Amino acid sequence: MHWMVPTSMILLALGGSRAIAASPSSPIPCEVGSYTMADGTQLDIAPSSEGRLRWSLLDGRTGALTSQGKGRWTSKLGWTDRPDGHHVTFSDCKRGEIRFDELRGKRQALIQIDTRFQGSGVDLAGRLTLPPGQARVPIVVLIHGAEHSSALEDYSLQRQFASVGIGVFAYDKRGTGASAGRYSQNYLLLATDAVHAVREARRLAGDRAGRVGYQGGSQGGWVAPLAARIEPVDFVIVSFGLAVSPLDEDREAIEFDMQRAGFGPEIEVKAMEIADATARIVDSNFTEGYEQLAAVKRKYGNEPWFKSVRGNITWYLLAGSEESIRKEGPALLEGVPARYDPMPVLANLDVPQLWIMGGQDRDAPPRQTLRRLEALRKAGRPITAAVFPDADHGMYEFETQADGERVSTRQPEGYFQMMKDFIEGRPQAPGYGSAELRGGSTWITERRNPEPRATTRPPTPRP
């Protein structure tokens, strides 16, 4: 989700973080790591919930592992409860050996450098992960979504990219994991922290640092371009992010709700009355608009389409009492610039950008964003957009259950390879799985009008 509402009520999505890892007080399981298999593929083992592990291949396949004792684990497909037939066996952790079904592998000796660095007035915890050796490599800095969990514990991308020759800098955003400070959703504050993260990544990598840029998922899609505008980098990847405001995101999500449920334009008009009411509550910092919301609930609450209204924040406002929303709302959305318009930043950004979206994204529907990105591209901005048509938020393919809820199964084939090629500055491949690429015959990987790298301090945002 882009908006931050109670984590007990939602699944937070940023590439690779659908399942919440072990709590910060729990030790990371010694099996966690990147393994090179006998056939040359890379297999990542990540921590997961309730003492489980999660395996992932770079083609997007994944499963949840449950221990059967004596180093043996059985797998279930994606995030379902259905066995997928895979079995994993680990040696003792010092040997770093694995067997996936009948295929053997060995843990890679990735270089990990933990650090603490100063963000915008706060001490942040970070980690640079490099492939073995001394070669110069591109470096990608991972920018959080809206989740409260620890990137250093949860983000499997830090190992997956490093396993194929890309350096990665991950860090816990302020108020999460091992970082100090108060959790914030202030985009300028978070972008300034990201600028400091890039500087720390370059410092730690030294002569090994080649191209450096950002990958931001979900809410990070607002933060990464802003950070790149403050201080230029070599590339920006936005995964399942938006080029519209958070309130426009909610409206577009409600429109998509109605279309998925099979209702026509006349019902969408009615549903927008709900969006207007909830927007007034948010705009007033949860002090006004309750009478308007109550009125539309009375007006439409018994109509068949009403139960299909979800949106991104609207569902929370429809489900809660006025008393609880007045009490909890300001803290839940504190710092969120609800009418933030990213277009002025994007219209003046010469950094090459790759925007990757899910065609079935309920939380961040991509249609208006795609229209805006196409207009920017025609105006000369170096932007490529790609849509995986069957992916939901977090870039997850899914199955729809009998009750209409979705359960994730995997990430799309080609998603990781697309990011890898863009980070490395490689030419666009003929295809990336089912992805529909928009933005010309080839993407742009070098800045057209390189600006001198800023040496001044980034601006200090208001908390």
Side-chain angles (χ1 to χ4, degrees):
M1 291 275 186
H2 284 63
W3 299 87
M4 176 52 61
V5 290
T7 54
S8 62
M9 300 169 66
I10 61 174
L11 288 174
L12 297 172
L14 182 138
S17 64
R18 176 63 62 102
I20 302 301
S23 67
S25 59
S26 303
I28 298 297
C30 66
E31 296 90 353
V32 170
S34 179
Y35 295 80
T36 300
M37 308 306 290
D39 63 354
T41 58
Q42 303 298 328
L43 176 70
D44 185 76
I45 300 294
S48 188
S49 58
E50 300 176 353
R52 297 180 180 180
L53 299 173
R54 173 161 296 279
W55 65 267
S56 300
L57 291 169
L58 301 185
D59 65 5
R61 288 177 290 167
T62 185
L65 295 173
T66 302
S67 176
Q68 305 300 312
K70 297 183 178 179
R72 295 176 300 208
W73 300 68
T74 56
S75 175
K76 291 183 178 178
L77 175 68
W79 284 262
T80 73
D81 288 325
R82 188 168 70 250
D84 57 17
H86 293 301
H87 297 81
V88 175
T89 303
F90 296 96
S91 67
D92 65 271
C93 287
K94 289 183 179 180
R95 291 165 59 190
E97 296 172 347
I98 193 173
R99 190 171 73 236
F100 185 83
D101 297 334
E102 298 306 315
L103 192 65
R104 295 183 180 274
K106 182 78 173 178
R107 180 161 38 202
Q108 275 193 313
L110 301 177
I111 300 169
Q112 292 188 326
I113 306 170
D114 288 335
T115 186
R116 300 197 71 85
F117 65 102
Q118 281 295 308
S120 181
V122 68
D123 190 49
L124 302 175
R127 176 184 299 134
L128 178 67
T129 304
L130 294 169
Q134 296 299 319
R136 198 164 184 254
V137 296
I139 293 175
V140 58
V141 175
L142 305 180
I143 296 183
H144 271 260
E147 71 279 352
H148 282 266
S149 56
S150 166
L152 297 181
E153 293 184 6
D154 285 3
Y155 286 13
S156 57
L157 280 177
Q158 62 189 307
R159 296 180 300 274
Q160 290 176 308
F161 279 132
S163 75
V164 294
I166 295 172
V168 185
F169 189 82
Y171 64 101
D172 289 339
K173 70 188 289 187
R174 57 179 56 229
T176 71
S179 286
R182 183 180 180 184
Y183 176 87
S184 176
Q185 299 187 81
N186 180 307
Y187 302 161
L188 179 57
L189 187 64
L190 298 175
T192 307
D193 286 345
V195 170
H196 286 290
V198 161
R199 293 178 178 181
E200 180 69 359
R202 283 197 173 103
R203 184 187 72 83
L204 291 175
D207 292 340
R208 294 199 66 184
R211 289 163 50 87
V212 179
Y214 296 115
Q215 191 268 353
S218 194
Q219 189 183 89
W222 283 307
V223 176
L226 182 54
R229 183 60 186 156
I230 293 171
E231 186 165 298
V233 289
D234 297 302
F235 60 86
V236 169
I237 297 175
V238 172
S239 295
F240 42 97
L242 290 170
V244 300
S245 73
L247 281 179
D248 286 337
E249 170 191 19
D250 190 59
R251 296 180 69 86
E252 194 170 358
I254 293 173
E255 289 179 3
F256 193 31
D257 291 337
M258 298 299 96
Q259 292 163 12
R260 288 199 327 275
F263 298 107
E266 70 283 357
I267 298 300
E268 291 179 27
V269 171
K270 295 180 179 181
M272 287 303 101
E273 293 183 41
I274 300 173
D276 291 340
T278 55
R280 183 180 174 193
I281 292 174
V282 173
D283 267 340
S284 70
N285 195 28
F286 300 88
T287 62
E288 300 175 1
Y290 295 96
E291 298 83 359
Q292 183 178 344
L293 181 60
V296 294
K297 289 170 73 172
R298 287 193 301 270
K299 184 177 180 181
Y300 297 126
N302 292 324
E303 295 199 12
W305 57 268
F306 186 84
K307 63 180 181 299
S308 298
V309 174
R310 181 176 180 271
N312 197 283
I313 183 64
T314 288
W315 67 270
Y316 169 70
L317 299 177
L318 287 175
S321 67
E322 179 179 340
E323 180 183 9
S324 65
I325 293 170
R326 283 183 181 273
K327 180 180 178 182
E328 298 171 2
L332 294 174
L333 298 186
E334 183 179 4
V336 174
R339 294 197 179 273
Y340 172 73
D341 182 4
M343 290 299 285
V345 169
L346 298 175
N348 291 282
L349 189 60
D350 284 321
V351 173
Q353 301 157 63
L354 172 62
W355 289 66
I356 311 176
M357 287 160 278
Q360 293 298 316
D361 195 329
R362 298 174 299 178
D363 297 319
R367 282 181 294 183
Q368 179 63 18
T369 290
L370 287 169
R371 287 192 288 267
R372 289 186 166 197
L373 294 178
E374 177 62 12
L376 289 169
R377 186 188 68 80
K378 289 181 177 179
R381 298 304 92 194
I383 292 173
T384 300
V387 179
F388 284 93
D390 299 321
D392 196 353
H393 201 60
M395 211 54 59
Y396 292 101
E397 295 179 354
F398 57 90
E399 298 173 350
T400 303
Q401 299 175 310
D403 61 0
E405 290 301 312
R406 295 175 173 182
V407 57
S408 300
T409 56
R410 56 170 296 159
Q411 293 197 301
E413 183 176 0
Y415 172 52
F416 181 87
Q417 186 65 41
M418 181 186 295
M419 292 192 292
K420 176 180 182 293
D421 287 352
F422 195 77
I423 291 168
E424 293 178 334
R426 295 181 181 274
Q428 179 179 309
Y432 295 95
S434 63
E436 302 165 359
L437 275 88
R438 309 179 186 189
S441 58
T442 186
W443 54 38
I444 299 168
T445 58
E446 299 292 336
R447 284 185 290 142
R448 288 170 167 165
N449 299 302
E451 303 173 38
R453 298 199 185 279
T455 56
T456 58
R457 294 175 61 84
T460 300
R462 296 180 184 272

